[in-house]
Amino acid sequence: MSKRKTKRHWKSLEERNANPDVLKVLGDEFPPGGPRQFRRRDFLKAAGFTMGVAVTTGCTRAPIQRAVPLLSQPEEIVPGRFLYYASTCGGCNAGCGVLAKVRDGRPIKLEGNPEHPISRGGLCATGQASILGLYDAERLQHPLKDGKSSTWADVDREITADLETIRAERGAVRFLSGTINSPTTLAGIQEFLKGFQNSRHVVYDALSNSALLDAHEKTHGVRALPRFHFDKAEVIVSFDADFLGTWISPVEYTADYRAARNLETKHVSYHVQFEPRLSVTGSKADQRFAVASGELGLLLSHLAERVAHKEDSPFASSQMDAAPVKEAFLDELAERLRQARGRSLVVCGVNDVRQQILCNYINHLLGNYGTTLVLEKPSLQSQGSDRELETLLDELRKGEIKALFVYGVNPSFELPGGESLERDLQKVPLLVSFAQRLDETASLARYVLPEPHYLESWSDHESISGVASISQPLLHRLGETRSVAETISAWRGSPKPGYELIRETWRNNLFTRQKKERDFETFWERTLHDGFAEIETDAIGGKPFSIQSVQPIWRAERPEANSFSLVLYPKVGMLDGRNAYNPWLHELPDPITKVTWDNYVSIAPKAAARFGISDGDVVRVDTNAGVAVELPAYIQPGQHEQTLAIALGYGSKLSARFAKVGPQWIDALVSVGDKGVVGVNAVLLLRFGNGILEYTTTNVKLTRTDKQRELACTQTHNTLSVPKKLQPKGSGPRPVLQETTLAAYLKDPHSGVEDHEEKEDLWPTDHPYRGPRWGMIIDQNACTGCSSCVIACQVENNIPVVGRDEIRRNREMHWLRIDRYYSETDSGQIEVAYEPLMCQQCENAPCETVCPVLATVHSEDGLNQQVYNRCIGTRYCANNCPYKARRFNWFNYAHDDQLQNLVLNPDVAVRSRGVMEKCTFCVQRIQEAKIEAKRRGEKVSDAAVQTACQQSCPSQAIYFGDLNDPQSQVSKMMANPRRYRVLGELNVRPAVGYLTVVRNRPEEATKGSKEEHHG
Amino acid sequence: MSVQGPNSSRLVRYLSNRFLTLALLVALAFSLMILIPKFNAYSLPGNQRGYEPAQPIAFSHRLHAGELQVQCLYCHSGAEKSRHAGIPSTNVCMNCHRFVSATLGAVRAEDEVAKKEKRDPARVVSAEIQKIYDALALNDRLQPDPTKQPRPINWIKVHNLPDFVYFDHRPHVNAGVTCQKCHGPVETMERVRQVEDLSMGWCVNCHRGVDRAGLDGNENFTSRPAPAAQGNAPVTHRVYASIDCSTCHY
């Protein structure tokens, strides 16, 4: 074993600062805190009597089971087999292509379409979880009028009559929606609004990119969002753009980003991130700097000045403030950018036009337009205009609007209007909402005309110019809903079903723009099969870059001494609040903080120390405008010292349903907050002014309140470290996560790897793997922590939702968890690495030897099997597992919602109380592949099996396959010099290997860690 | 359990000290009295054998599979392709029963009566076959009747395995295991009954036997259909039946 000091990784500040109380708790997998004291004799008496009672309730004969076949079975439907249909995800505006797995006439799982140019096989957590929205009993089943159920005929009649009056009176009609990139719906809306003199379609995004679009209008004369190609970039500089997490099209960008970081070909990009809070993208950056949000503009100017200087371009910079980052670093960065001219990408995620123009300027100087940013074939994924929204809000305030149609957005929840906005909305005589559920805006609307879920209706998308995708229904509509296009066609007098409307648009507009197929029907069939079609588009005309638009920013907006600047951001699972109905996404631990079921104020450690705040203390954030919110605090290493960050999307009415989520027992804490909803809505802290939604505020005050709210955070659970009292003398911290730098890797590919030689096997003939032997490799360099694998596993394996209280007691049920480790560099920068951890399917499994009933045994293809019907719940196996990968069913998690049960995977058992469960390497998929191969008379092929997590990863970080096949990808990866095994020194011989994180840093591997605090 | 003071009588003290025990004994006796007659209701292995429920339509396998020699896989086509063999959908029945509406004897009898009465023979429909037409809501001329409501047929499952068992027909059928091996001589049954045990021990014993001595004495079987990967030539495989837990339990 080398004497080199290994880099110390820690999961929480308590662990790092060696707080003895917490370390004690960390060591316990099942922390104490049981029911009140019960005297033993009373207990035995009660037990005896209960047994007597239980026996009398008695067993009866097995109930009669019926088998009801279809009356007329279509040829392709075989009960028990599934079919894949291509569709497009509607979880956000990115428009990733999906393949929906349909079983017995209903979709049960979504998978990314490998051929789709946006998703390329991956799908984000929101997309994976969006299938639950289909089987939601809270979706509206009928149109509502004034809160009461009505019929389509009635509402159509009344609304058309109202519209007639409005048309005659030349009243103002507005259609307010989010970004719509469905050509059919857009065409329908245009036609509809044409019938009114004073009408407009106002588009806004709750997570606005309006400044980016406006900036391009100023610099290039066209208001468009370029399509970013991160795979072509060798140097990526991001100014608070969370492109791997939540910005515009994260699945696409993650796949591209990954392609540009290929260690095998030594083609590794260099990524620098400047941001006020620690985001998912920042956690992957090679260099990350925490700067205040008000300093980003100044930083952009500094970088622009340097690049302009190198490119001999003018840039007025005489009186700029000093840069918040070392000048030497900026010089070096500018030089790297210049060397990678045309192959670099600078992105800015701040919704500020001046900063975006500076960013465009830098890209223009570097010649990136045309290669890494393509404006001619723009992205249509975000088209909102804050300016138009502001005008609309003005009109609402003045009461000028006679009819307002709201589609795909929830302005009452997403905009900082508060009660005055509610009043303004109620002033509109005809307020119609097309919401799927009764959200805040729909509650104010006179008519609610629910639209169907994207999996049960026809729709189309053109998310990127040139790629037209189709969304097809996979089951009959569950309820009397009607899509917006259908509703509009009904109001215009010629009601047509969605199918015909889509075909019409495609025949007239899209079929004509392609040359591959001559016949429309063939084109249509092929598109339905593929899920998308490539069509030609005209390049949008842009003007040459307008230098005059560039305005340097000379001053930084720093907060005063005891104040903070506040940043509002979307979380990976919740986005703008659209997923507030989804329990899976509430329970998904945030990639960075690992907090579930709540939002909170992130505060830097130094600032927390100054104010005497610890995790869970409720604090009050006051802005200058007199708005205040109270939220629990959470200490975030790596955040800028004078920055507070709060997540948007919480506090929604749609989350009131979680008042009773999880097992209900006497001492349970509720998952909702004081107001009966999960989290607190921070939207009042947004500022709307000058035509821009601002997500940052300066000079915000922080005060402690006396209240406390315990945050259900999973980061302190399941530690793989040995408690101090059990550590043998002279042992150091376990190298659970291994990393290195690119410089060290290029010198020696084994650098950073502390793998242990496999000791001699005591039982060499115990497990002869005659057939396939399943193994997995996780490339930690590719993993971005996006957690889509966690949700994919939850959907595939019927993993229950347990609620906040159970998570607080370490009882989350996710089979696959992503451990996030912090570490520090010598210069005090916080670095993050992710380690997805699931059952390692050990060959010498410690769990197999201790099960008293042999419920967990080793299979002949390398899996550690868990037999639920044999398990009696001793939990000795979980005790013995060094990876803490086993989950125990402490309760019978409720499956009362019959509609929601339709999403359950029929190939996986639903476990009852008292049974241990864990990752099975998707054994149901392995069995299916083996049986199909047997049916066809072939050997089971490695490529036929894809575990759910592997399939879903947008970054292709997981490899799975047959270790006994030397040609398989996973066998080759196992031979990769970067490969190590977590806790390899225990000689449990896991079947899962990990590839080290390689950070692209010019200097040598960093030494040890500093003991001081770094805020 | 109540605590009596020093002034209560010996009898009261005696009874109250043993009250709880007495109560439990009574409860135990009571439950035994109810339990013992229910013993035969326990689902022990071997208990489902002989289960022969009456089905909604008195379908005779003896007639169709035995006398008429209709292949098992003609109706139960899922057995080859899927985990569930499935009960055929009504359109499979109608493949023949579009034309066959009664026994030959009944049709001949009607013919003779019609000849005597000098009229066209009327269509004879037997009661059981009429149930098929009713399920599909067909009228006299076997056309769909819009006034009637079609209703699928609720067959009763005879061979029932617990929910935690994921039995798959495909590897068995494709390895050459005959239907009769597990389902018994179905082609002789008027009403289907469960012949074999279908307990886990019974399955595992067969798997072990197959691994030792092959299937019905054959150690190899020929794959059907022939795999395209091998140029459509039938390939011979060694019979192998796994006894891993996760073969059926996952």
Side-chain angles (χ1 to χ4, degrees), chain A residues 749-825:
Chain A
H750 285 275
S751 103
V753 172
E754 267 187 55
D755 206 14
H756 300 261
E757 279 168 41
E758 299 211 321
K759 302 189 177 71
E760 203 181 310
D761 204 351
L762 279 178
W763 310 280
T765 54
D766 213 18
H767 300 300
Y769 300 111
R770 273 176 295 175
R773 181 185 169 189
W774 305 108
M776 187 183 269
I777 286 271
I778 296 188
D779 187 353
Q780 291 178 280
N781 206 28
C783 176
T784 62
C786 73
S787 309
S788 89
C789 51
V790 177
I791 300 283
C793 177
Q794 186 156 25
V795 191
E796 173 77 16
N797 294 299
N798 305 337
I799 294 176
V801 166
V802 300
R804 178 172 154 248
D805 187 47
E806 291 294 293
I807 298 216
R808 182 180 65 90
R809 295 189 293 154
N810 304 14
R811 293 174 178 181
E812 66 271 13
M813 290 306 284
H814 295 125
W815 289 1
L816 169 60
R817 66 172 191 270
I818 301 187
D819 286 338
R820 175 268 300 126
Y821 287 93
Y822 293 120
S823 52
E824 284 173 276
T825 63

Side-chain angles (χ1 to χ4, degrees), chain A residues 222-343:
Chain A
V222 55
R223 188 170 197 275
L225 179 66
R227 192 176 168 197
F228 298 106
H229 291 277
F230 286 89
D231 53 339
K232 299 204 177 83
E234 283 175 17
V235 181
I236 301 170
V237 183
S238 167
F239 290 85
D240 202 16
D242 191 10
F243 58 87
L244 296 176
T246 54
W247 197 59
I248 304 176
S249 183
V251 175
E252 186 190 351
Y253 300 155
T254 305
D256 283 343
Y257 182 79
R258 161 78 161 114
R261 290 176 89 83
N262 190 338
L263 285 163
E264 276 69 45
T265 60
K266 311 279 196 291
H267 172 213
V268 183
S269 61
Y270 178 61
H271 172 196
V272 179
Q273 182 100 355
F274 300 102
E275 56 180 13
R277 63 172 190 101
L278 185 53
S279 69
V280 169
T281 314
S283 71
K284 292 300 293 176
D286 298 309
Q287 293 278 14
R288 180 190 164 267
F289 294 93
V291 295
S293 50
E295 292 172 332
L296 286 169
L298 176 63
L299 209 47
L300 269 164
S301 296
H302 273 277
L303 189 63
E305 182 205 14
R306 284 168 171 77
V307 174
H309 185 69
K310 287 190 196 278
E311 302 286 331
D312 292 322
S313 197
F315 192 81
S317 65
S318 44
Q319 295 150 31
M320 268 203 295
D321 275 353
V325 169
K326 277 206 219 84
E327 308 266 330
F329 177 76
L330 286 174
D331 289 331
E332 195 212 320
L333 180 61
E335 180 55 31
R336 277 186 98 134
L337 282 171
R338 187 194 71 81
Q339 282 174 2
R341 205 176 181 287
R343 296 182 315 278

Side-chain angles (χ1 to χ4, degrees), chain A residues 258 775-784 789 816-818 834-840 921 947 949-950 953 956-960 970 973-974 978-980 982 991-997:
Chain A
R258 161 78 161 114
M776 187 183 269
I777 286 271
I778 296 188
D779 187 353
Q780 291 178 280
N781 206 28
C783 176
T784 62
C789 51
L816 169 60
R817 66 172 191 270
I818 301 187
Y834 297 102
E835 187 162 79
L837 207 73
M838 73 294 273
C839 170
Q840 306 280 293
F921 270 5
T947 57
C949 50
Q950 172 200 16
C953 181
Q956 312 279 317
I958 302 183
Y959 300 90
F960 177 81
V970 77
M973 282 290 172
M974 277 289 183
R978 281 166 59 212
R979 192 264 298 156
Y980 69 98
V982 176
V992 180
Y994 288 78
L995 301 182
T996 55
V997 181

